[in-house]
Amino acid sequence: METTTTPLLTQYKMGSFNLAHRVVLAPLSRCRSYGNLAQPHNAVYYAQRAAPGALLVAEACAVSEAARGYPHVPGLWSPEQDYSRTYRVRFRMDESKCQVSIMLHTEFQPNGQAPVSSTDKQVTPEVFHDGSVLEFAAPRRLETEEIPHIVNDFRIAARNAMRAGFDGVEIHAGNGYLIDQFMKDGVNDRTDAYGGGLDNRCRFAAEVIAAVCHEAGAGRVGVRLSPFADYVDCVDSDPEALGLHVIGVMNGLGVLYCHMIEPRMCVNERMIPRRLLPFRRAFRGTFMVNGGYDREEGDKAVVEGYADLVAYGRLFLASPDLPERFGRNAVLNKYDRSTFYTSDPVVGYTDYPFLDPED
């Protein structure tokens, strides 16, 4: 099979990191870290997708016992969760990043306590295509004096990630998780120093980002944002102003990269306008996009200067050699959505096939 030239496979220098290409593994919760500990099969999964000079963003890691929202997610709050021991694999430089995020559901909370939030408003139940309904537990509004302790949880998790040998930390500040719940006015109804105007609503995010930068170094920190998303009722009346405000905070701290989630690329076969351009123009570091890109649209984003890097989730999940397939214009494996979040250590996880070298 003849190799093709693709902009996604051009080299890129991200701060002190020399990346071999611009195809990034997006953070994907896979629910296979039993007991909140990374397992040998997790190492296999990431090693399958790793190559010299590749950037992988590891799945979301709970920063405390109370931060768990899904079963079998890895944690970074205790010494026994040191990834360099539990994985028994030390990734080469540029091959791994660790994402730190908060995820909330009562079922996985210590003693069944309510998950914490910026508010105590009930989340609207989620209705799936098959008619099933997911009910969310009523959250508990964090007291003002509790918030510094949550910030410290992020600080400690970042410290543990760096001690474990990761090259950096990505903070999840989107998709309806805790930081997003503070930033967006559709959820945050507080009247203290963490509610009201943009400065106050983004105060928690700013404190977390500053704390993680202090631990890891700003040149090893990325932030993931989703200003236009509406996960679990997290919407904002002015998402562009919100995103630009947070980017201002990131610029001030010298954050390495901004990982921005946008709506799916195609709706009714028409391209969605490039809504992230204001953020791209404002951010001073590396700009990464994520939102259902294929190879063609990823190439276009790089060529047009819309993004420096493109993160792939479902495609990379199903094709562990995705950059090679892009380069050879090869057919991609089809992903099986039914196995995205099952707990089997092999099926739907490490059993997706590689290209035949002879093809």
Side-chain angles (χ1 to χ4, degrees):
M1 185 177 296
E2 184 178 350
T3 300
T4 60
T5 301
T6 171
L8 281 169
L9 299 185
T10 57
Q11 296 179 353
Y12 178 75
K13 184 170 179 59
M14 182 177 72
S16 62
F17 299 99
N18 295 310
L19 304 182
H21 55 73
R22 299 163 186 261
V23 179
V24 178
L25 174 67
L28 302 168
S29 292
R30 302 306 311 277
C31 300
R32 288 166 167 91
S33 297
Y34 314 139
N36 306 118
L37 295 171
Q39 305 293 323
H41 55 262
N42 301 139
V44 173
Y45 172 79
Y46 286 108
Q48 287 178 336
R49 289 153 181 80
L55 175 60
L56 310 181
V57 185
E59 62 208 88
C61 303
V63 301
S64 71
E65 189 177 7
R68 297 171 299 168
Y70 308 122
H72 309 309
V73 296
L76 274 171
W77 67 83
S78 71
E80 66 177 340
Q81 292 164 332
D82 184 329
Y83 274 56
S84 62
R85 291 202 300 271
T86 55
Y87 267 28
R88 296 182 176 85
V89 167
R90 186 66 68 93
F91 290 121
R92 294 182 293 277
M93 186 62 72
D94 296 350
E95 288 187 355
S96 180
K97 289 284 181 253
C98 176
Q99 179 187 8
V100 178
S101 74
I102 286 282
M103 298 167 290
L104 303 171
H105 279 284
T106 338
E107 180 181 353
F108 307 107
Q109 299 294 299
N111 304 315
Q113 66 192 33
V116 296
S117 175
S118 63
T119 183
D120 54 10
K121 292 188 292 188
Q122 177 67 55
V123 180
T124 304
E126 185 173 354
V127 181
F128 297 98
H129 296 299
D130 61 2
S132 60
V133 178
L134 175 62
E135 299 279 354
F136 293 91
R140 178 179 69 81
R141 185 190 303 269
L142 276 168
E143 300 293 338
T144 306
E145 59 271 18
E146 293 180 282
I147 295 174
H149 298 289
I150 305 293
V151 174
N152 196 51
D153 287 340
F154 277 90
R155 184 195 311 274
I156 293 170
R159 182 184 306 165
N160 289 340
M162 300 308 294
R163 286 177 176 174
F166 283 93
D167 296 316
V169 174
E170 179 177 293
I171 303 164
H172 200 335
N175 287 10
Y177 295 127
L178 187 61
I179 297 176
D180 207 27
Q181 293 168 28
F182 270 84
M183 292 194 298
K184 291 182 176 175
D185 58 15
V187 175
N188 188 336
D189 56 357
R190 304 177 71 91
T191 58
D192 62 0
Y194 293 89
L198 266 178
D199 278 337
N200 281 3
R201 283 188 280 117
C202 294
R203 186 184 304 275
F204 176 54
E207 290 175 351
V208 168
I209 297 169
V212 172
C213 285
H214 177 77
E215 288 296 333
R220 293 179 177 271
V221 172
V223 178
R224 196 172 200 228
L225 299 168
S226 60
F228 295 107
D230 60 356
Y231 299 102
V232 290
D233 296 345
C234 279
V235 295
D236 194 80
S237 60
D238 192 344
E240 185 171 313
L242 173 63
L244 290 173
H245 186 90
V246 181
I247 283 174
V249 172
M250 294 161 62
N251 283 338
L253 292 168
V255 168
L256 176 64
Y257 72 81
C258 176
H259 183 177
M260 190 73 73
I261 303 169
E262 61 184 321
R264 294 292 178 199
M265 286 300 300
C266 293
V267 176
N268 297 327
E269 300 181 354
R270 293 187 300 106
M271 299 313 302
I272 293 175
R274 296 204 180 284
R275 301 175 73 182
L276 304 186
L277 272 174
F279 309 135
R280 164 61 164 168
R281 292 167 178 159
F283 186 61
R284 297 173 188 162
T286 293
F287 195 75
M288 183 191 313
V289 294
N290 178 206
Y293 283 82
D294 57 16
R295 191 193 72 165
E296 181 183 359
E297 287 303 323
D299 280 342
K300 187 177 179 181
V302 171
V303 168
E304 292 180 352
Y306 184 62
D308 300 306
L309 306 174
V310 181
Y312 290 87
R314 295 168 296 168
L315 300 188
F316 219 151
L317 177 158
S319 296
D321 51 357
L322 184 65
E324 182 179 357
R325 288 177 187 258
F326 280 171
R328 296 168 65 181
N329 199 22
V331 175
L332 306 184
N333 295 328
K334 293 183 179 180
Y335 53 82
D336 181 357
R337 190 181 296 274
S338 69
T339 61
F340 281 1
Y341 306 112
T342 54
S343 59
D344 192 287
V346 176
V347 177
Y349 192 57
T350 59
D351 61 347
Y352 283 104
F354 289 77
L355 277 173
D356 187 331
E358 300 300 322
D359 290 344

